[in-house]
Amino acid sequence: RVAHAFLFTGVRGVGKTTSARILAKALNCLNPPPVGSGQGAEPCLECAACREIAEGTDVDVREIDGASYTGVDEIRKLQESLPYRPTRDRYKIFIVDEVHMLSQNAWNALLKTLEEPPPHVKFILATTEVHKVPVTILSRVQRFDFKMIPSRLIADRIREVLQAEKIEADEHAVTLVAREAAGSMRDALSLLDQVIAFNPAH
């Protein structure tokens, strides 16, 4: 059985929102692998649903920024749309980023929604500050804690990017950028951009 609500928590840049999109693809893929194939719920990445979720244009998968969705009115509008079936996909999925930014009234309204959601609705909440999420919400979601990414894996990704961009780099520099990122892949790529821009040769 698939939970009706998930909570992804961890420091910034460790893949919470990206994982939320992957989960949305797995739930709504139009070409899922056959049962018993051993592939689980691997999304095909080629069907209309997978492509549109990646592009952010799927009408049944909405990404909401918690910072701009702080009021109770916004949550009520969301609640009003829940009874309607998805346009095409299997589920209507709401990805709420930085969910800890919601106001107390918005939390109360969301709690009612999480208690009795329609079967065709799934929520994926993401936050960097899980301690700000009310206990009443935590008790109604399936929680996943994202760990910081090891420097070794960050360095491997940096090498892949440099190779794709045909940029030569000193191994010590790659290690330094990976270490300075402190477990965040997003920070590592931002630092890499700055280093490349600083070098007049590129």
Side-chain angles (χ1 to χ4, degrees):
R1 289 185 307 178
V2 180
H4 66 272
F6 301 85
L7 176 69
F8 293 170
T9 174
V11 298
R12 69 183 189 277
V14 292
K16 298 184 297 297
T17 309
T18 300
S19 297
R21 292 187 194 120
I22 292 170
L23 177 57
K25 289 177 192 175
L27 290 170
N28 280 344
C29 181
L30 301 175
N31 301 313
V35 175
S37 65
Q39 292 177 287
E42 195 96 8
C44 72
L45 307 182
E46 295 172 0
C47 69
C50 284
R51 288 199 316 273
E52 288 171 17
I53 291 169
E55 293 162 4
T57 57
D58 191 318
V59 294
D60 292 322
V61 178
R62 281 184 58 193
E63 288 194 33
I64 297 165
D65 179 15
S68 59
Y69 230 73
T70 55
V72 69
D73 290 337
E74 286 88 350
I75 298 294
R76 284 196 181 127
K77 280 181 200 166
L78 185 151
Q79 286 173 322
E80 287 167 8
S81 72
L82 297 184
Y84 301 105
R85 302 279 313 167
T87 305
R88 176 203 58 205
D89 297 348
R90 191 180 298 115
Y91 296 106
K92 191 179 276 191
I93 299 173
F94 295 91
I95 298 172
V96 188
D97 204 9
E98 297 304 341
V99 73
H100 65 270
M101 301 284 281
L102 296 181
S103 67
Q104 187 58 51
N105 287 337
W107 278 125
N108 292 337
L110 183 62
L111 179 61
K112 189 166 174 36
T113 302
L114 291 177
E115 280 176 340
E116 297 175 2
H120 58 267
V121 172
K122 303 289 180 191
F123 284 92
I124 308 174
L125 316 177
T127 179
T128 51
E129 299 186 48
V130 72
H131 59 279
K132 291 185 179 178
V133 178
V135 176
T136 48
I137 297 288
L138 292 175
S139 66
R140 287 167 174 82
V141 298
Q142 202 171 80
R143 174 175 167 174
F144 292 88
D145 289 71
F146 285 54
K147 302 286 191 290
M148 288 192 289
I149 303 168
S151 295
R152 173 179 49 82
L153 294 180
I154 293 177
D156 289 344
R157 180 62 181 150
I158 289 171
R159 290 187 199 98
E160 285 176 15
V161 171
L162 291 170
Q163 190 173 3
E165 296 293 329
K166 297 182 171 53
I167 297 173
E168 291 185 18
D170 180 80
E171 189 58 35
H172 178 65
V174 171
T175 304
L176 194 61
V177 170
R179 195 175 69 221
E180 286 298 312
S184 169
M185 188 65 78
R186 188 190 306 146
D187 285 2
L189 296 178
S190 295
L191 283 168
L192 183 62
D193 274 342
Q194 291 176 43
V195 172
I196 292 169
F198 184 73
N199 188 338
H202 303 300

